[in-house]
Amino acid sequence: DATRVASRAEEPVRVSFELEPSDIERFHEALDRAARIVRDTDEVDIVAATKHSLDNLPIGGAPGYVRKRMTEVHRLVLMLEDEAWALPQPERDDVLRTLVYFSDPEDLVPDEVLVIGLLDDAIMLELLLRRQRHMIGAWGDFCAFRAALGDPPDDPEGRIAHARMLGRRRDALRLRMRRRAQRRDGAD
């Protein structure tokens, strides 16, 4: 019946698959390559390459799953550029490796291949974003706190108090982020 088919098409469908050890090894090789690039490349260039990829990849016609991951890549760029958050170097390098992987044209399926060209990127991004969820969540909480705190006052004492509150919140969120990541790594 056409009504049942139409209503089913509007519901999300969960697709699961199993990665073979050789698939996982290929992803590890890609991350090792990304780590080498991060060591040898200026952060500004990595961010610029990511922005270029976001602006020029055929994302518009990609499935929603892929587009959602591309939105997360954009959020990673914003997090890196957030001077008040000032992401520490170990976590920064983790994000940069993700961005390098994303903007690497030498992945499994070339990104220019319509629809499926970004699928391998989306799968890898999903795996990387899951590992970074505590960092992304902490930054989101920091942004919400900063917005609720409002603009700093005009007087010098008020500005200092504002900066201290923001700094204390940032430090607490970073501590939470690291503790959760340590628990996650302990469970792996």
Side-chain angles (χ1 to χ4, degrees), residues 112-130:
E112 293 78 28
V113 176
L114 292 179
V115 182
I116 64 165
L118 296 172
L119 189 57
D120 63 318
D121 290 333
I123 292 167
M124 185 62 168
L125 284 171
E126 178 65 25
L127 297 172
L128 294 170
L129 290 168
R130 283 183 184 195

Side-chain angles (χ1 to χ4, degrees), residues 68-118:
K68 286 179 186 175
R69 298 313 163 288
M70 300 308 123
T71 299
E72 291 300 313
V73 169
H74 184 253
R75 288 185 70 214
L76 291 176
V77 169
L78 294 175
M79 182 174 57
L80 280 179
E81 293 178 334
D82 188 340
E83 291 179 12
W85 178 241
L87 189 63
Q89 201 61 50
E91 290 86 2
R92 236 179 153 70
D93 287 345
D94 194 26
V95 171
L96 289 168
R97 283 188 297 273
T98 301
L99 298 181
V100 165
Y101 178 85
F102 165 72
S103 56
D104 184 359
E106 297 179 27
D107 56 14
L108 188 60
V109 180
D111 295 336
E112 293 78 28
V113 176
L114 292 179
V115 182
I116 64 165
L118 296 172

Side-chain angles (χ1 to χ4, degrees), residues 32-185:
D32 289 345
R33 181 179 174 330
R36 287 190 302 275
I37 291 170
V38 167
R39 279 193 304 271
D40 298 336
T41 308
D42 190 63
E43 179 177 318
V44 173
D45 295 331
I46 294 170
V47 170
T50 300
K51 288 178 178 180
H52 180 269
S53 293
L54 286 169
D55 289 342
N56 293 295
L57 289 173
I59 296 170
Y65 173 81
V66 172
R67 288 194 313 272
K68 286 179 186 175
R69 298 313 163 288
M70 300 308 123
T71 299
E72 291 300 313
V73 169
H74 184 253
R75 288 185 70 214
L76 291 176
V77 169
L78 294 175
M79 182 174 57
L80 280 179
E81 293 178 334
D82 188 340
E83 291 179 12
W85 178 241
L87 189 63
Q89 201 61 50
E91 290 86 2
R92 236 179 153 70
D93 287 345
D94 194 26
V95 171
L96 289 168
R97 283 188 297 273
T98 301
L99 298 181
V100 165
Y101 178 85
F102 165 72
S103 56
D104 184 359
E106 297 179 27
D107 56 14
L108 188 60
V109 180
D111 295 336
E112 293 78 28
V113 176
L114 292 179
V115 182
I116 64 165
L118 296 172
L119 189 57
D120 63 318
D121 290 333
I123 292 167
M124 185 62 168
L125 284 171
E126 178 65 25
L127 297 172
L128 294 170
L129 290 168
R130 283 183 184 195
R131 289 191 55 82
Q132 297 171 352
R133 72 184 179 278
H134 302 303
M135 181 185 352
I136 295 166
W139 178 64
D141 291 348
F142 176 77
C143 290
F145 179 81
R146 179 174 47 194
L149 192 58
D151 292 332
D154 290 330
D155 65 290
E157 288 179 21
R159 292 181 80 74
I160 290 170
H162 184 275
R164 283 186 180 141
M165 286 190 297
L166 198 56
R168 279 193 297 273
R169 183 65 178 154
R170 180 190 59 229
D171 293 345
L173 288 167
R174 284 183 183 168
L175 182 61
R176 181 190 82 184
M177 164 186 84
R178 288 188 176 126
R179 284 183 180 154
R180 289 180 176 176
Q182 285 173 342
R183 280 196 304 263
R184 175 208 66 218
D185 292 343

